[in-house]
Amino acid sequence: MTARPHPVPVLAVLAALAALTFLVLLPLAALFAEVLDQGIGRALAAFNDPESRAAIRLTALVAAISVPVNTIGGLAAAWCIARFHFAGRGMLLTFIELPLSVSPVISGLVWVLLFGAQGWFAPVLERLGVQVIFATPGLVLATLFVTFPFVVRQLVPLMVAQGREEEEAALTLGAGGWRMFWHVTLPNVRWALLQGVLLLNARAMGEFGAVSVVSGRIRGQTLTMPLQIEALYNDFQAPAAFAMAGLLALLALVTLGARAMLEWQTRRAVDAQVTPA
Amino acid sequence: MKGSFVRPNPLPGFGPAFGLTLTWVSLIVLIPLAALVVRPWSLGIAGVLASLGSPRVLAALELSFGASLGAAAINVPLGLLVAWVLVRGRFPGRQLADALVDLPFALPTAVAGIALTTLYAPNGWIGRLFAPFGVELAYAVPGIMVALVFAGLPYVVRTVQPVLMDLPADVEEAAATLGARPPQILVRVVLPAILPALLTGFAMAFARAVGEYGSVIFIAGNMPGLTEIAPLLIVIRLEQFDYSGAAVLALAMLALSFTMLAAVNLVQQLLARRGG
Amino acid sequence: MRMQICAKAVAAALLLAITIGGRPAAAQDSLLNVSYDPTRELYREVNRAFPAVWQSQTGRSITVNASHGGSGAQARAVLDGLQADVVTLALASDIDALAARGLVAKGWQARLPEQSTPYTSTIVFLVRSGNPKAIRDWPDLVRPGVRVITPNPKTSGGARWNYLAALGWALRQPGGDEASGEAYLRRLFAQVPVLDTGARGATNTFVQRGLGDVLLAWENEALLAREELGAGKFEIVYPSVSVLAEPPVAVVDAVADKRGSRAAAEAYLRFLYSPDGQDIAARHYFRPRDPVVAARYADRFPPLPTFGIDLFGGWAQAQARHFADGGVFDRITAPAK
């Protein structure tokens, strides 16, 4: 518990920081420099455009649906995988992680193959008069696919490492299944879960490749924020495009800030628990 | 459902949770992927092989997988270095640097592509430094590598970091007391312990790089046979109404990725069994 | 049982998504125009002007939505079910593809005047101020050290016109034939450092990223780029001969009939041929068909000898021969072995 880290060579620190600067910090700085170049006023004016507002609303809607669905599903899957041994467990985990390594383009393509006018379910949709591809449902489905593994990936390693003793103890003490879940399981994974949800949300709002295949690019209707950025960029409205990109980057930074805060709080809580003991 | 395939366990909720999981996986991943697996065979086996064997497709696959391997290989030492510094180092701004690592996760790929191109194009802040020497970063393979390293870095750092954190520092300290120097500690003590995590990180970075689209198309030149990545070729085929051709290529990429992930999971299980 | 509750929650969320965004907008008060890349500014203005016309004709209000992207990609989206009432694309072959699947009636090109192309354009060169590489005509493009920016003919309609304009010049040279044309194209594409997927992407590469010495572009795109992006930074060079580019328009019959929007869709396309519509097109640098409007904007569009798509045997033949998989374009850009 009193592990005192010994010094890391200054050279190593500098090298790591240099790598982060060139890869991560400078692109971000370049982005914000472009925004500031145009002036804050013009950047803010970009958000008065009704099409840009529609894009922001649509992105929020897509995230508002994708996040809970994939969080609930992810919790259930993590419970199975981390707490039980069953045939095909590794297979299931591989399938769940598959979307991470599938090209976003493919993630969009599969929905077109299913629900497009030439797709498997085209006749059914036609009869119901429901539009999936090139409408909000298609955007939601593509986003669900892309953000599918985030929660599971955060939870499983942690839950495996924690073991199931605490939960078994809770049961022995007479807690019911849901009580155990709310009072033992969930608090134990709280931080990892939130971290997963934050990343899920960030990806849901920022996905480009997959939604670009299923969007149809109808202005003010099926353009999410990243697609709107591309549209503005191609409209010779670079200032507005960079303003919107800056907003998404800011969102990413807030996400990361919130994560760092969570991590710090959790560590403090853990330390507080541990020290008196 | 609970039959014999699950090992007996006092914990509740396997049935419902497993049912929900299967529904979720099937609806969102399995059924769509099934469509992808079935589609190409309308071409017939010969058609599939011909579609995969064209020089342009082979060049695109070679570029995608080659550049991704290269980027993942760069990401392993780089990510390890960053993770090690973040875990063991004490310097001002460490938490900021820690948070920045996840930026490629959180930043929309299109935004990343535009930002990286702005930076590395011949008239960008960094590209400008290299342009006088005739070195091209953007619109050439180096640019693609930069984008892929960018995309993959957090995977390596974030898989290695927790393991490094759990690694008792006193082991390293003991080694230091015994006169080992930091590089020796790293190679002899730290490296063996984090090998599985490093392997996972490598696989994830690689898999992500192979499929990366949004950030690469901005910075790659997209010239057939030279700087055209496989995902772009899928899009191109799609836009030519060549659904089966697009699905063939997608399926080939999927199969390669799936093999890769399955192999890593297997190695992981073997290592875990040996370790525990 | 809890599983069922969760499953129901998931289903409800999906249903919510469908009800919020999935229902096609009610008919007769909206149109969707699916168009290609460089018409963004043109149709923004057309879509603002048309509702007044429709209001005066019928007393009803209407909104026109627009979608822009690479011409081939847009046609693909319509094939996949994008509910376009009208398409205004870069090439006849993209609308032919819709006709082949029964979305647009066969013989669509004869339904409106001028083979259903209300405006035309051509392919010109955009060079940097002062024309430092002294680019005057097609042969200058393949001089050593000249870097040419053009988008990918596989994905961009404008790029196909670029390609055919270059090929047409080569074919019309003394002794020019298919072999010499192919040789010229091979040399031309060897000078191309970046193939963007769309015409707008190529313009951005040339203008914003400063890459290349010459951009092959639609005349309307080149004029727009010169006006919008770089007063005094770019010049337009008219080659000795170029292609007459005819971007066609059509009502998507299958969608218009289903949505009951045929009358509005047809009125919308007819508006493009009206003096007002022609004036908007000319203002946005497309060459109008109407001789009166053309005369008004004569100083903007210098006369240029052109050849049409018939030089290549029509779109169906040009498409199959040059741009299909394994076609001439694939051959000339195949990786050297």
Side-chain angles (χ1 to χ4, degrees):
Chain A
M1 284 307 122
T2 54
R4 185 162 304 136
H6 57 91
V8 165
V10 178
L11 208 62
V13 175
L14 289 182
L17 289 184
L20 280 179
T21 305
F22 274 86
L23 271 177
V24 182
L25 203 55
L26 271 183
L28 199 65
L31 192 65
F32 284 115
E34 290 271 356
V35 177
L36 294 179
D37 245 18
Q38 317 293 342
I40 296 284
R42 269 182 83 183
L44 289 180
F47 299 115
N48 267 331
D49 176 43
E51 285 178 5
S52 295
R53 288 182 167 219
I56 295 173
R57 271 199 306 274
L58 179 61
T59 297
L61 174 69
V62 168
I65 298 172
S66 314
V67 169
V69 170
N70 272 345
T71 303
I72 293 169
L75 267 171
W79 179 249
C80 297
I81 291 169
R83 289 290 177 263
F84 297 89
H85 284 274
F86 53 90
R89 181 170 163 273
M91 184 73 118
L92 182 64
L93 190 59
T94 308
F95 272 127
I96 289 175
E97 289 190 343
L98 201 55
L100 276 185
S101 55
V102 168
S103 177
V105 171
I106 302 178
S107 317
L109 170 69
V110 291
W111 298 109
V112 175
L113 292 181
L114 281 182
F115 295 122
Q118 331 281 321
W120 286 0
F121 295 112
V124 183
L125 295 176
E126 179 75 16
R127 192 142 11 101
L128 293 175
V130 171
Q131 182 86 10
V132 173
I133 302 296
F134 310 123
T136 312
L139 296 169
V140 171
L141 289 172
T143 307
L144 277 176
F145 185 95
V146 170
T147 57
F148 190 77
F150 280 77
V151 169
V152 179
R153 260 175 52 82
Q154 291 289 331
L155 290 187
V156 167
L158 182 72
M159 287 173 69
V160 168
Q162 285 173 344
R164 55 190 192 215
E165 286 76 13
E166 282 192 42
E167 278 139 355
E168 286 175 353
L171 288 179
T172 322
L173 294 174
W178 276 117
R179 248 179 91 86
M180 173 212 71
F181 178 76
W182 283 111
H183 293 280
V184 179
T185 312
L186 216 48
N188 276 344
V189 299
R190 185 177 44 188
W191 174 62
L193 180 65
L194 266 170
Q195 196 166 4
V197 169
L198 282 173
L199 288 177
L200 196 169
N201 182 57
R203 184 72 195 267
M205 292 191 158
E207 178 53 31
F208 172 75
V211 291
S212 82
V213 178
V214 297
S215 155
R217 290 162 209 277
I218 307 172
R219 314 207 133 208
Q221 290 184 12
T222 62
L223 290 181
T224 60
M225 282 172 76
L227 295 172
Q228 177 74 5
I229 291 171
E230 192 208 22
L232 288 169
Y233 192 69
N234 282 335
D235 278 357
F236 295 141
Q237 295 191 34
F242 277 108
M244 188 80 96
L247 179 65
L248 272 181
L250 221 54
L251 202 81
L253 286 177
V254 169
T255 301
L256 299 184
R259 262 198 49 178
M261 200 100 104
L262 277 172
E263 183 175 11
W264 181 67
Q265 290 248 326
T266 319
R267 252 193 228 143
R268 216 173 49 161
V270 169
D271 285 349
Q273 271 178 4
V274 166
T275 322
Chain B
M1 187 177 275
K2 246 176 177 176
S4 59
F5 85 109
V6 54
R7 206 180 294 169
N9 185 326
L11 292 182
F14 179 76
F18 191 70
L20 180 61
T21 304
L22 272 193
T23 315
W24 180 63
V25 173
S26 307
L27 283 182
I28 300 180
V29 176
L30 291 186
I31 294 178
L33 288 182
L36 185 65
V37 172
V38 171
R39 183 79 194 211
W41 306 108
S42 59
L43 289 175
I45 289 186
V48 169
L49 290 181
S51 178
L52 275 181
S54 89
R56 184 162 173 216
V57 171
L58 291 180
L61 284 174
E62 191 183 318
L63 174 67
S64 270
F65 281 82
S68 302
L69 268 180
I74 294 174
N75 265 331
V76 164
L78 201 64
L80 176 58
L81 176 73
V82 171
W84 188 54
V85 164
L86 288 180
V87 171
R88 294 282 186 257
R90 286 292 173 270
F91 54 94
R94 188 184 62 88
Q95 283 191 323
L96 186 71
D98 193 49
L100 270 182
V101 168
D102 275 331
L103 195 74
F105 261 153
L107 199 64
T109 51
V111 176
I114 292 178
L116 286 171
T117 312
T118 305
L119 202 57
Y120 289 93
N123 62 358
W125 291 351
I126 295 180
R128 196 181 298 159
L129 304 177
F130 288 85
F133 307 103
V135 178
E136 288 194 336
L137 298 173
Y139 312 114
V141 176
I144 298 177
M145 297 283 282
V146 168
L148 297 183
V149 170
F150 173 86
L153 183 68
Y155 288 91
V156 177
V157 176
R158 289 303 180 228
T159 41
V160 171
Q161 205 175 9
V163 186
L164 267 183
M165 252 184 231
D166 281 352
L167 199 68
D170 43 358
V171 177
E172 285 174 64
E173 273 175 24
T177 330
L178 294 173
R181 303 182 51 77
Q184 279 177 309
I185 299 175
L186 192 67
V187 173
R188 295 273 172 78
V189 182
V190 179
L191 218 48
I194 60 170
L195 197 62
L198 219 47
L199 192 70
T200 310
F202 173 84
M204 302 301 305
F206 171 78
R208 169 72 198 262
V210 167
E212 182 57 29
Y213 175 73
S215 63
V216 181
I217 51 160
F218 282 94
I219 205 168
N222 304 330
M223 286 300 293
L226 293 175
T227 50
E228 183 179 66
I229 55 168
L232 176 65
L233 200 51
I234 295 179
V235 172
I236 289 177
R237 285 188 162 179
L238 202 60
E239 295 184 351
Q240 294 172 284
F241 319 123
D242 183 7
Y243 291 82
S244 302
V248 167
L249 195 51
L251 185 61
M253 291 185 69
L254 196 67
L256 285 164
S257 300
F258 188 82
T259 314
M260 188 88 189
L261 274 185
V264 165
N265 274 351
L266 195 71
V267 171
Q268 223 66 324
Q269 280 176 3
L270 287 179
L271 283 174
R273 205 164 293 162
R274 203 186 56 184
Chain C
M1 206 198 60
R2 275 164 196 147
M3 173 194 93
Q4 283 172 347
I5 293 172
C6 289
K8 272 179 194 157
V10 172
L14 285 176
L15 212 66
L16 181 76
I18 287 169
T19 43
I20 288 173
R23 208 169 300 147
Q28 100 250 44
D29 62 348
S30 75
L31 280 181
L32 175 58
N33 174 7
V34 170
S35 192
Y36 62 110
D37 243 342
T39 57
R40 296 158 186 269
E41 293 75 16
L42 166 66
Y43 281 110
R44 182 170 304 138
E45 194 171 344
V46 169
N47 295 349
R48 248 182 242 142
F50 175 70
V53 176
W54 181 246
Q55 179 98 40
S56 70
Q57 281 175 3
T58 64
R60 287 214 295 256
S61 60
I62 190 167
T63 53
V64 188
N65 296 305
S67 164
H68 295 274
S71 188
Q74 294 292 81
R76 195 264 311 164
V78 174
L79 272 184
D80 270 331
L82 182 58
Q83 300 292 299
D85 302 282
V86 299
V87 284
T88 53
L89 296 176
L91 325 158
S93 69
D94 285 332
I95 301 184
D96 284 339
L98 300 180
R101 313 278 174 111
L103 288 169
V104 177
K106 298 253 190 300
W108 59 273
Q109 226 168 351
R111 294 195 298 198
L112 286 166
E114 314 275 6
Q115 294 87 48
S116 292
T117 49
Y119 41 76
T120 68
S121 190
T122 186
I123 299 300
V124 300
F125 306 159
L126 190 69
V127 297
R128 301 194 187 279
S129 180
N131 197 355
K133 297 271 168 122
I135 291 157
R136 304 264 168 255
D137 201 3
W138 294 103
D140 298 326
L141 300 182
V142 295
R143 278 206 318 257
V146 172
R147 302 221 289 174
V148 182
I149 305 294
T150 176
N152 191 338
K154 292 272 189 177
T155 48
S156 158
R160 281 182 219 173
W161 288 113
N162 290 349
Y163 174 106
L164 292 176
L167 177 62
W169 170 81
L171 290 179
R172 285 161 58 112
Q173 293 315 292
D177 58 7
E178 294 291 344
S180 70
E182 192 174 325
Y184 172 73
L185 286 171
R186 187 185 297 272
R187 286 175 65 199
L188 178 64
F189 276 90
Q191 316 259 49
V192 177
V194 182
L195 274 186
D196 284 285
T197 48
R200 240 339 128 73
T203 309
N204 271 325
T205 299
F206 182 77
V207 172
Q208 318 264 31
R209 302 274 159 256
L211 207 72
D213 303 303
V214 53
L215 172 75
L216 302 188
W218 296 94
E219 180 186 40
N220 54 283
E221 181 81 353
L223 283 163
L224 180 72
R226 192 181 66 182
E227 298 309 313
E228 290 268 314
L229 294 168
K233 281 197 254 170
F234 302 99
E235 291 174 17
I236 292 175
V237 173
Y238 283 87
S240 61
V241 62
S242 191
V243 70
L244 175 68
E246 297 182 302
V249 301
V251 171
V252 182
D253 298 276
V255 176
D257 288 342
K258 191 171 83 184
R259 297 185 64 230
S261 58
R262 174 174 289 280
E266 284 175 350
Y268 179 76
L269 293 187
R270 273 199 308 277
F271 173 68
L272 297 175
Y273 288 90
S274 71
D276 284 346
Q278 290 282 294
D279 195 77
I280 295 176
R283 276 212 298 283
H284 289 279
Y285 312 109
F286 289 84
R287 294 187 178 219
R289 292 285 196 183
D290 186 325
V292 179
V293 178
R296 212 180 307 147
Y297 289 90
D299 56 332
R300 183 174 271 193
F301 303 115
L304 175 73
T306 55
F307 44 83
I309 186 67
D310 41 308
L311 181 65
F312 313 97
W315 264 114
Q317 201 179 323
Q319 176 71 25
R321 179 174 163 73
H322 293 281
F323 308 119
D325 264 354
V328 174
F329 177 72
D330 275 351
R331 208 154 60 228
I332 60 173
T333 54
K337 283 204 207 139

